[in-house]
Amino acid sequence: MITKWMTNYMAGHNAQEGIALNTLQKEFLVNKGLLSPEVKVLEAPAFSPSYSLSNKETDEPLETPVNAGELAVSYVKTQPNDYMFAEDTSFTTIGIDGVVLEMDDVFGTITALFGLQVQKKHGEWMKKYIDTKLGTAPGTRSLMFSADDGLWDVNIALDYVDGFSETHTFNETLELVYEFVFNMLVALEEEA
């Protein structure tokens, strides 16, 4: 599945003009033998998704800070009634459209929520993978398959992800989420 998404991403770009790849993507494509020598690889730009701030209860859009990506992710703890939604074109390479970052009202952790395009049959494997990486403390993860849209609704407590800090910016935090999901999907594809 990640091979398919990465192949689609490459097909959407002109190899002569260059394809922007981050380190994870480039290593993956090289290891899979999918990156031909004719392809001009460009360094991926700094991670900078588009953001929108909304109220948790009503989903009403709020005024999003102009520099949202550069704010510390702890912002969601200072605004517990709000969530930050982020979209980035690179998310398509890991089968997600966008990510919500918010404070979990019960556990007080900063969580990432997203819909993941993975077949239902891989649910137990994903749960075990996430438990291995984050531990099994209450509130570390929640996965539920939605038959309506064919997506896994994934919720992970970022406080348990290696390398996470509340002082990271939203951009840095989403890069960490991207890396976590990318590595999980690579491992899943190797197992399947």
Side-chain angles (χ1 to χ4, degrees):
M1 94 199 69
I2 194 161
T3 298
K4 176 182 155 192
W5 294 325
M6 286 301 301
T7 304
N8 288 344
Y9 173 76
M10 289 182 51
H13 295 81
N14 183 323
Q16 307 308 318
E17 292 176 12
I19 299 173
L21 298 172
N22 64 35
T23 304
L24 282 175
Q25 294 168 332
K26 184 178 177 182
E27 286 176 7
F28 175 78
L29 292 168
V30 168
N31 290 340
K32 288 285 187 176
L34 298 172
L35 193 60
S36 69
E38 304 88 55
V39 174
K40 180 179 177 184
V41 176
L42 306 173
E43 186 175 334
F47 208 79
S48 72
S50 61
Y51 293 94
S52 59
L53 186 66
S54 296
N55 179 279
K56 278 187 189 180
E57 296 297 317
T58 64
D59 285 329
E60 179 183 328
L62 303 171
E63 186 174 335
T64 304
V66 175
N67 62 338
E70 297 307 315
L71 293 175
V73 73
S74 60
Y75 177 87
V76 296
K77 282 196 167 181
T78 65
Q79 306 295 322
N81 296 323
D82 303 336
Y83 66 85
M84 189 72 78
F85 177 74
E87 293 179 294
D88 192 88
T89 55
S90 67
F91 291 161
T92 61
T93 64
I94 56 171
I96 61 178
D97 293 328
V99 177
V100 167
L101 296 172
E102 68 178 22
M103 184 184 86
D104 184 289
D105 297 330
V106 175
F107 299 103
T109 56
I110 296 176
T111 61
L113 298 87
F114 50 90
L116 182 60
Q117 299 172 24
V118 172
Q119 292 175 320
K120 184 177 181 180
K121 67 181 181 180
H122 298 301
E124 284 306 311
W125 185 94
M126 288 192 302
K127 289 174 185 176
K128 287 177 188 171
Y129 179 90
I130 294 170
D131 288 349
T132 299
K133 298 294 181 186
L134 306 185
T136 57
T140 54
R141 62 117 175 116
S142 168
L143 280 86
M144 184 179 299
F145 189 76
S146 170
D148 292 338
D149 52 17
L151 297 174
W152 280 97
D153 295 327
V154 180
N155 179 343
I156 57 172
L158 297 176
D159 300 60
Y160 298 97
V161 175
D162 282 341
F164 173 74
S165 169
E166 290 185 13
T167 62
H168 284 162
T169 65
F170 278 101
N171 287 349
E172 291 168 332
T173 301
L174 286 166
E175 188 171 0
L176 186 68
V177 170
Y178 180 91
E179 290 173 8
F180 183 88
V181 175
F182 190 96
N183 289 328
M184 179 176 72
L185 294 172
V186 169
L188 174 58
E189 192 169 273
E190 289 171 358
E191 290 284 324

